[in-house]
Amino acid sequence: MANAAESNRIRDTDPLLQVENLKKHFPMRAGPLRRVVNQVRAVDGVSLEIATGQTVGLVGESGCGKSTLGRAILQLQKPTAGHVFLAGQEITGMPHTELKASRRDMQIIFQDPYASLSPRRTVAQIIREPLEAHRIGSPAEQHRRVAELLEVVGLRPQVLNRYPHEFSGGQRQRIGIARALAPQPKFIVADEPVSALDVSVQSQVLNLIADLKRDFGIAFLFISHDLAVIQHVSDTVAVMYLGRLVEEARAEDIYRAPKHPYTQALLSAIPVPDPKRKPDRIILGGDVPSPAHPPPGCPFHPRCPAAMSICSDVSPPRTDQGGAGRPHYVTCHLYSGLES
């Protein structure tokens, strides 16, 4: 297992988080006895590594399994199969008492700053909740920690006794970020943390997350469907399609020379801020297949402009198409070396 992880490593240091062949399938039930008749393969065999202080951007169309992957990594949803290691310790299948202790090291920033904060609790109570749950510090120390966190995220300590409805969307997201920072985690899943915010506020929150990574050495899995946002915050980019990773490389390599046809289509959709330049869009045909009935072979082949006969029959292997010291992993028959 260690050798496999070593061969797939993009990062320059030992990984803080290791995800190996993670799957999350949801049963589909029917009939009067509610028997399982099929499985929705939301996450279907994902392997990933994140080093301390590094941000991996996870991108893909809506419904491809990005958020489910993040929640499965955090054990908020129990994985169907696979392994997750945090700081060398496996957390999949961990007893509840031990998992609770490990949760101090891994937190989440939710997508919706309106739904993720309790309207009945003050800002101080919301941010202090992780400290109380993990019994971190005395009440006086917790109060000081909450005040410090508010300053870290750009809010005044005077707002401690206010309620979420008194804040704007960007301010609420800052409160959510402060709550995630409270137990001093090593790893944070940021699940589309700016998609519900105004464009003018998005850059402020993104810069805040970049500062947190720099100042506290926190590793991030940053989930988004916005490739411009992913480019701004990520060291490494992983592209997901129908529950699987189809391409993974350093951010500059992905944006300079994307290799998978799906990644190329996604990047072609980024708006160009030049009215005189005609965008060279790649339009994909058809709809995203259902994860309950994924196509045989390569899951992207029904929509792929470069599909070959082998694509509909054989699942492509993951190959390294990068140069020395700069791995660039692609799961596509254009690079598999197999005959078409």
Side-chain angles (χ1 to χ4, degrees):
M1 184 166 56
N3 291 336
E6 185 69 32
S7 64
N8 291 336
R9 184 166 298 160
I10 284 181
R11 283 135 293 279
D12 297 324
T13 58
D14 291 337
L16 170 70
L17 179 81
Q18 290 177 278
V19 180
E20 297 182 0
N21 198 30
L22 196 68
K23 299 181 181 181
K24 178 57 184 176
H25 298 171
F26 295 95
M28 298 177 62
R29 301 179 183 274
L33 299 179
R34 307 299 296 164
R35 290 177 176 171
V36 176
V37 296
N38 201 356
Q39 299 280 343
V40 176
R41 298 166 176 82
V43 178
D44 202 22
V46 170
S47 296
L48 192 66
E49 292 182 3
I50 305 178
T52 299
Q54 191 164 39
T55 299
V56 171
L58 183 64
V59 68
E61 293 171 287
S62 296
C64 70
K66 304 186 299 296
S67 295
T68 302
L69 174 61
R71 290 172 178 269
I73 289 173
L74 296 177
Q75 309 300 299
L76 296 177
Q77 293 177 329
K78 185 177 179 181
T80 304
H83 306 275
V84 179
F85 298 87
L86 184 67
Q89 182 179 27
E90 183 168 11
I91 60 176
T92 41
M94 183 178 283
H96 176 73
T97 52
E98 295 181 23
L99 182 60
K100 181 180 178 180
S102 295
R103 288 198 188 283
R104 177 175 176 174
D105 294 329
M106 50 184 184
Q107 295 291 311
I108 184 170
I109 301 170
F110 293 97
Q111 176 179 355
D112 188 350
Y114 295 90
S116 62
L117 304 180
S118 172
R120 299 183 179 183
R121 299 173 71 86
T122 65
V123 171
Q125 291 172 330
I126 289 170
I127 300 176
R128 191 167 58 237
E129 185 176 11
L131 301 176
E132 294 173 339
H134 293 286
R135 300 179 180 178
I136 301 173
S138 65
E141 291 170 337
Q142 292 175 0
H143 181 80
R144 286 195 297 270
R145 174 69 175 159
V146 171
E148 291 171 358
L149 288 169
L150 283 174
E151 293 186 0
V152 167
V153 300
L155 295 175
R156 294 173 301 148
Q158 288 84 347
V159 305
L160 280 171
N161 295 319
R162 293 169 61 182
Y163 289 85
H165 73 271
E166 301 179 63
F167 297 90
S168 66
Q171 290 172 324
R172 292 187 192 195
Q173 195 60 291
R174 290 174 185 269
I175 294 169
I177 292 172
R179 177 178 60 185
L181 291 174
Q184 298 180 303
K186 300 175 181 177
F187 169 65
I188 292 178
V189 172
D191 188 6
E192 303 212 34
V194 298
S195 63
L197 306 179
D198 293 338
V199 174
S200 60
V201 180
Q202 287 186 6
S203 60
Q204 299 173 18
V205 175
L206 291 175
N207 289 334
L208 171 60
I209 291 175
D211 291 342
L212 296 176
K213 183 182 76 168
R214 181 196 64 217
D215 297 339
F216 299 104
I218 300 172
F220 281 90
L221 177 64
F222 193 101
I223 300 171
S224 180
H225 61 272
D226 190 329
L227 279 156
V229 168
I230 288 290
Q231 184 179 20
H232 180 72
V233 301
S234 303
D235 301 302
T236 297
V237 175
V239 183
M240 195 169 187
Y241 184 81
L242 209 64
R244 307 179 190 180
L245 297 187
V246 297
E247 188 165 2
E248 184 188 4
R250 300 188 186 196
E252 58 268 28
D253 295 338
I254 287 276
Y255 284 86
R256 186 186 72 253
K259 297 186 179 299
H260 197 282
Y262 178 61
T263 309
Q264 294 168 0
L266 289 180
L267 290 176
S268 75
I270 297 178
V272 179
D274 185 354
K276 297 180 180 180
R277 179 180 171 186
K278 184 178 180 180
D280 187 15
R281 293 288 304 276
I282 300 174
I283 307 299
L284 299 177
D287 298 322
V288 179
S290 168
H293 303 282
C298 174
F300 185 59
H301 86 264
R303 307 174 67 200
C304 181
M308 304 174 288
S309 58
I310 191 175
C311 299
S312 60
D313 299 320
V314 180
S315 180
R318 186 174 188 245
T319 60
D320 182 4
Q321 299 299 314
R326 297 184 71 89
H328 192 140
Y329 296 107
V330 190
T331 305
C332 179
H333 279 302
L334 291 174
Y335 310 96
S336 69
L338 302 177
E339 294 184 0
S340 59

